[in-house]
Amino acid sequence: MDQKQIERINELSRKARSPEGLTEWEEQERAALRREYVDAVLGNLKGQLDHTYIQRPDGTREKLKKKEK
């Protein structure tokens, strides 16, 4: 997600709080941009966690595992 898209999200958010509000098309655009933003943040976090290791007191390193539900 680039800076231009983030600025557009902020612009739509400001307009939503204004008395004129958003049109139906703008609401759909804002929802799509927000979903894209959340997906990008989650993707970055998952990528970071995939490359995370735990170092034990004895010096061994263990790859971080997914938690069982």
Side-chain angles (χ1 to χ4, degrees), residues 12-24:
L12 289 170
S13 181
R14 282 189 295 275
K15 187 174 179 187
R17 289 189 302 264
S18 72
E20 65 188 65
L22 295 175
T23 65
E24 185 176 332

PDB file of all heavy atoms in Angstrom, residues 12-24:
ATOM      1  N   LEU A  12     -11.119  10.366   2.912  1.00  0.00           N
ATOM      2  CA  LEU A  12     -12.486   9.842   3.005  1.00  0.00           C
ATOM      3  C   LEU A  12     -12.964   9.816   4.457  1.00  0.00           C
ATOM      4  O   LEU A  12     -14.142  10.074   4.727  1.00  0.00           O
ATOM      5  CB  LEU A  12     -12.556   8.437   2.395  1.00  0.00           C
ATOM      6  CG  LEU A  12     -12.416   8.373   0.879  1.00  0.00           C
ATOM      7  CD1 LEU A  12     -12.262   6.933   0.422  1.00  0.00           C
ATOM      8  CD2 LEU A  12     -13.596   9.040   0.190  1.00  0.00           C
ATOM      9  N   SER A  13     -12.055   9.552   5.379  1.00  0.00           N
ATOM     10  CA  SER A  13     -12.416   9.549   6.790  1.00  0.00           C
ATOM     11  C   SER A  13     -12.825  10.945   7.254  1.00  0.00           C
ATOM     12  O   SER A  13     -13.813  11.107   7.969  1.00  0.00           O
ATOM     13  CB  SER A  13     -11.233   9.043   7.611  1.00  0.00           C
ATOM     14  OG  SER A  13     -11.559   9.003   8.963  1.00  0.00           O
ATOM     15  N   ARG A  14     -12.051  11.951   6.829  1.00  0.00           N
ATOM     16  CA  ARG A  14     -12.405  13.339   7.181  1.00  0.00           C
ATOM     17  C   ARG A  14     -13.757  13.717   6.579  1.00  0.00           C
ATOM     18  O   ARG A  14     -14.582  14.357   7.230  1.00  0.00           O
ATOM     19  CB  ARG A  14     -11.327  14.298   6.697  1.00  0.00           C
ATOM     20  CG  ARG A  14     -10.092  14.332   7.560  1.00  0.00           C
ATOM     21  CD  ARG A  14      -9.153  15.460   7.171  1.00  0.00           C
ATOM     22  NE  ARG A  14      -8.603  15.285   5.828  1.00  0.00           N
ATOM     23  CZ  ARG A  14      -7.521  14.566   5.528  1.00  0.00           C
ATOM     24  NH1 ARG A  14      -6.874  13.940   6.481  1.00  0.00           N
ATOM     25  NH2 ARG A  14      -7.089  14.480   4.299  1.00  0.00           N
ATOM     26  N   LYS A  15     -13.992  13.322   5.347  1.00  0.00           N
ATOM     27  CA  LYS A  15     -15.249  13.657   4.689  1.00  0.00           C
ATOM     28  C   LYS A  15     -16.423  12.962   5.369  1.00  0.00           C
ATOM     29  O   LYS A  15     -17.519  13.520   5.462  1.00  0.00           O
ATOM     30  CB  LYS A  15     -15.200  13.280   3.210  1.00  0.00           C
ATOM     31  CG  LYS A  15     -16.417  13.751   2.452  1.00  0.00           C
ATOM     32  CD  LYS A  15     -16.313  13.516   0.970  1.00  0.00           C
ATOM     33  CE  LYS A  15     -17.576  14.001   0.290  1.00  0.00           C
ATOM     34  NZ  LYS A  15     -17.605  13.656  -1.126  1.00  0.00           N
ATOM     35  N   ALA A  16     -16.215  11.734   5.860  1.00  0.00           N
ATOM     36  CA  ALA A  16     -17.281  10.993   6.539  1.00  0.00           C
ATOM     37  C   ALA A  16     -17.706  11.703   7.822  1.00  0.00           C
ATOM     38  O   ALA A  16     -18.873  11.653   8.207  1.00  0.00           O
ATOM     39  CB  ALA A  16     -16.822   9.577   6.848  1.00  0.00           C
ATOM     40  N   ARG A  17     -16.752  12.360   8.483  1.00  0.00           N
ATOM     41  CA  ARG A  17     -17.064  13.079   9.723  1.00  0.00           C
ATOM     42  C   ARG A  17     -17.678  14.454   9.452  1.00  0.00           C
ATOM     43  O   ARG A  17     -18.219  15.087  10.365  1.00  0.00           O
ATOM     44  CB  ARG A  17     -15.812  13.220  10.569  1.00  0.00           C
ATOM     45  CG  ARG A  17     -15.355  11.910  11.184  1.00  0.00           C
ATOM     46  CD  ARG A  17     -14.243  12.124  12.187  1.00  0.00           C
ATOM     47  NE  ARG A  17     -13.078  12.779  11.619  1.00  0.00           N
ATOM     48  CZ  ARG A  17     -11.988  12.175  11.168  1.00  0.00           C
ATOM     49  NH1 ARG A  17     -11.919  10.866  11.219  1.00  0.00           N
ATOM     50  NH2 ARG A  17     -10.970  12.859  10.693  1.00  0.00           N
ATOM     51  N   SER A  18     -17.592  14.929   8.221  1.00  0.00           N
ATOM     52  CA  SER A  18     -18.138  16.243   7.899  1.00  0.00           C
ATOM     53  C   SER A  18     -19.662  16.141   7.740  1.00  0.00           C
ATOM     54  O   SER A  18     -20.206  15.059   7.589  1.00  0.00           O
ATOM     55  CB  SER A  18     -17.514  16.779   6.610  1.00  0.00           C
ATOM     56  OG  SER A  18     -18.010  16.071   5.498  1.00  0.00           O
ATOM     57  N   PRO A  19     -20.335  17.276   7.757  1.00  0.00           N
ATOM     58  CA  PRO A  19     -21.800  17.270   7.629  1.00  0.00           C
ATOM     59  C   PRO A  19     -22.295  16.670   6.301  1.00  0.00           C
ATOM     60  O   PRO A  19     -23.373  16.080   6.261  1.00  0.00           O
ATOM     61  CB  PRO A  19     -22.183  18.750   7.711  1.00  0.00           C
ATOM     62  CG  PRO A  19     -21.038  19.410   8.398  1.00  0.00           C
ATOM     63  CD  PRO A  19     -19.826  18.607   8.042  1.00  0.00           C
ATOM     64  N   GLU A  20     -21.515  16.792   5.236  1.00  0.00           N
ATOM     65  CA  GLU A  20     -21.978  16.270   3.947  1.00  0.00           C
ATOM     66  C   GLU A  20     -21.920  14.754   3.873  1.00  0.00           C
ATOM     67  O   GLU A  20     -22.694  14.138   3.161  1.00  0.00           O
ATOM     68  CB  GLU A  20     -21.172  16.883   2.801  1.00  0.00           C
ATOM     69  CG  GLU A  20     -19.702  16.507   2.803  1.00  0.00           C
ATOM     70  CD  GLU A  20     -18.902  17.267   1.787  1.00  0.00           C
ATOM     71  OE1 GLU A  20     -18.789  18.495   1.937  1.00  0.00           O
ATOM     72  OE2 GLU A  20     -18.399  16.607   0.866  1.00  0.00           O
ATOM     73  N   GLY A  21     -21.000  14.123   4.604  1.00  0.00           N
ATOM     74  CA  GLY A  21     -20.898  12.670   4.622  1.00  0.00           C
ATOM     75  C   GLY A  21     -20.366  12.101   3.318  1.00  0.00           C
ATOM     76  O   GLY A  21     -19.894  12.824   2.441  1.00  0.00           O
ATOM     77  N   LEU A  22     -20.426  10.770   3.207  1.00  0.00           N
ATOM     78  CA  LEU A  22     -19.917  10.076   2.028  1.00  0.00           C
ATOM     79  C   LEU A  22     -21.058   9.591   1.147  1.00  0.00           C
ATOM     80  O   LEU A  22     -22.137   9.265   1.636  1.00  0.00           O
ATOM     81  CB  LEU A  22     -19.092   8.844   2.451  1.00  0.00           C
ATOM     82  CG  LEU A  22     -17.817   9.088   3.226  1.00  0.00           C
ATOM     83  CD1 LEU A  22     -17.218   7.753   3.655  1.00  0.00           C
ATOM     84  CD2 LEU A  22     -16.826   9.858   2.399  1.00  0.00           C
ATOM     85  N   THR A  23     -20.771   9.531  -0.135  1.00  0.00           N
ATOM     86  CA  THR A  23     -21.724   8.914  -1.049  1.00  0.00           C
ATOM     87  C   THR A  23     -21.576   7.400  -0.925  1.00  0.00           C
ATOM     88  O   THR A  23     -20.625   6.895  -0.320  1.00  0.00           O
ATOM     89  CB  THR A  23     -21.448   9.322  -2.510  1.00  0.00           C
ATOM     90  OG1 THR A  23     -20.177   8.796  -2.891  1.00  0.00           O
ATOM     91  CG2 THR A  23     -21.476  10.829  -2.688  1.00  0.00           C
ATOM     92  N   GLU A  24     -22.502   6.671  -1.491  1.00  0.00           N
ATOM     93  CA  GLU A  24     -22.453   5.206  -1.430  1.00  0.00           C
ATOM     94  C   GLU A  24     -21.175   4.682  -2.092  1.00  0.00           C
ATOM     95  O   GLU A  24     -20.526   3.778  -1.571  1.00  0.00           O
ATOM     96  CB  GLU A  24     -23.672   4.610  -2.111  1.00  0.00           C
ATOM     97  CG  GLU A  24     -23.746   3.108  -1.975  1.00  0.00           C
ATOM     98  CD  GLU A  24     -25.014   2.533  -2.586  1.00  0.00           C
ATOM     99  OE1 GLU A  24     -26.037   3.235  -2.634  1.00  0.00           O
ATOM    100  OE2 GLU A  24     -24.946   1.367  -3.023  1.00  0.00           O
TER     101      GLU A  24
END
